[in-house]
Structures are given as C-alpha cells and as structure tokens.
Amino acid sequence: MKLATTTGDFERFGCSVSESIGHVADAGFRCVDLNLYREATPDSLTLSQNWRKTVDEWQRIADDRGVKFVQCHSAGGNPLQKDNNYEFLLQATIRSIEICGILGIPNTVVHSGWGENLSKDEYFKQNLEFYRLLLPAMEKNNVSVLIENSTKKNMGDNYYFLTGEEMAEFLHVADHPLFGACWDTGHANCEGHQYEDIMALGDGLRAIHFNDNSGRGDEHVLPYCGTMSVDAIMNGLLDSGYKGYFTFEADSTLRPYKYWQGDRRSFGKERVTEAPLNVQKTLERAMYEIGEYILRAYDCFEY
C-alpha cells in the first residue's frame, strides 16, 4: 500500500496547489490527493478561462518532483439544495472529473447532499439524480465518483451514509462500475465503528481518508492524536482486499485559530495564534513517518 496525502494540508497557510505539491514531495510523499473542495464559486480557479493552463502546470510540477496524483476531492456543497450556488457546484464537480481525466486520477470524492426529514429511499433517489448528471463526464474521462461516509456529529439526522452497509446499498442501487466509496476513518471514529463497515463495502471501497479525532468531533488530526483504533482499520483494509492508497486527510492537526470545530481562545495580545508554515512542513514529515510505521507493521508498505 502506498502513502498519500492531500494538497489541502497547506491550503490555510496561503499555499497554492502548485506550492503544496512541492511541500508534500519534500515530506517524502510520492502520491498526492488533489484537494478541490473550495472550488464551487464563480471565481474558482478551475472554472476560470485559464483552468487548463493551471492543470498543465500542476502536472509539470508533479512530474518534476516525481510525484503522482492518485485521487481527488471534488468541490464541496449540497447538491440537494437548488439555490443560486447549485449550478456552480454542478459545473465545478464536472470540471473536477475533467481535471482527473487530464491528470490520470482514477477516483474523485463527491459528497452527497443532505436534507431534513428525508426517508432513506428519498435520500437515495435525490442524490442519485445528481450523481447521474455526472455520468457523461465520468464515462468520457474514465473517472470514478466516490461517495463518502459522514457522522451525526456533522450532519445530525440529515445524512444516511453513516455505515458501510448503507453505502454498499446505495452503490447497489446506483449499479454502475464508475461509482464507488471512500471511507473516512475520522467520521467513522465519531460513529464508533470501522472494521465491519470496511468489510461491508468490500471491493466497492476505492479510497480512504485517514484521520483521527477524540470521538467528540470531526477534528482531522493525525493518528495517535485521538481515540481511533488504527488496528481495526488496517485489519479491515487487508481482510477486505483493499487495493487503494493509504491517504491522509489530517489537515487540521495544527488547529487553525478560527475553526469550524471551535475557535482558539483569544487573549488580546496575540503573536503566536497560528503555527507557521515551517512547523506544518515538519509535521508533514512526521505524518509520512507515522504512515510508514503503520504500513510496515502490517507488512504492506510500498514506496
């Protein structure tokens, strides 16, 4: 299994995707998850006229640094909410699939939507209507779209992909080889189960987002900084025959000053409210070492 991490690790430090690729490579990673989560606005880089030139630059830098794009996270939003942002979300999601096709990325995570008082059948139906709008681009570019599990800590009762069994059921209903699943270990830790869910997904599992938390919130920290059982995940991945990448999404281990899980307390005479970029670079190297330790312990590390 090969280690990967997201370009989002460096986003809040003001780094562009191009700069982030270099920082990830400096830490030892040779596989990269392209983070396009915040690209669903009218002025998004990927919706600009020069988007193709930007993507070509990403590829050139990756080639120069000896790294490979292996998965992607598409733009975030709620596709069940047909507001003024819906068309931008749809365009950005299709564009992310096109970008994956150019960069040779086989999978992109596309969050499903949510809504109040939806039955599971209606939830499946409305989300499938959105996902099917993506099929022409998926088939043209040979890119799979992956649904992702969440947690009630984030979504309350408005979301149904909380277990591997529910996700497997949706993939059965979708009934297309280009639909798959991404398992977020942090979301699962909040829900309190991992192994049985990974086993339920079987070969439908094509990617993971590996991160830890206290179980009280979706904190996106490194393993061993929370309460998650790494062994439950590793046994699930190996017993289910998982063939994807071991991809970190621990981009908030250095918690931002302003954070959706809760802001840092203010004193009024601040000098060190935010950790600097060089500390994140050090942490990135530690992330790689932690991942290598885990995979070597299970005899599945690949460089």
Side-chain angles (χ1 to χ4, degrees), residues 45-113:
L45 186 65
T46 55
L47 292 180
S48 69
Q49 290 185 341
N50 294 325
W51 71 273
R52 180 60 193 261
K53 182 179 179 181
T54 299
V55 173
D56 289 343
E57 178 189 351
W58 295 344
Q59 183 66 75
R60 178 186 60 77
I61 293 171
D63 290 343
D64 289 346
R65 296 306 309 270
V67 300
K68 176 183 178 182
F69 293 104
V70 298
Q71 64 190 63
C72 176
H73 199 312
S74 184
N78 184 0
L80 301 193
Q81 186 174 343
K82 302 298 177 61
D83 57 13
N84 293 335
N85 293 320
Y86 174 79
E87 284 301 322
F88 294 116
L89 176 62
L90 178 59
Q91 291 172 31
T93 305
I94 292 172
R95 179 58 50 78
S96 76
I97 294 169
E98 294 171 342
I99 290 171
C100 287
I102 294 168
L103 296 176
I105 301 173
N107 302 307
T108 184
V109 174
V110 178
H111 284 179
S112 55

Side-chain angles (χ1 to χ4, degrees), residues 180-245:
C182 172
W183 187 249
D184 187 297
T185 64
H187 297 164
N189 191 57
C190 289
E191 293 301 300
H193 39 81
Q194 302 271 10
Y195 178 86
E196 60 269 33
D197 301 89
I198 294 171
M199 294 301 294
L201 284 168
D203 60 8
L205 181 61
R206 309 209 185 146
I208 64 169
H209 286 161
F210 192 76
N211 59 94
D212 203 346
N213 56 55
S214 64
R216 298 188 295 269
D218 183 25
E219 296 156 346
H220 283 254
V221 298
L222 282 172
Y224 307 114
C225 293
T227 62
M228 181 177 73
S229 170
V230 177
D231 291 294
I233 297 162
M234 290 307 301
N235 278 276
L237 294 177
L238 294 174
D239 289 352
S240 67
Y242 176 67
K243 294 180 175 61
Y245 294 85

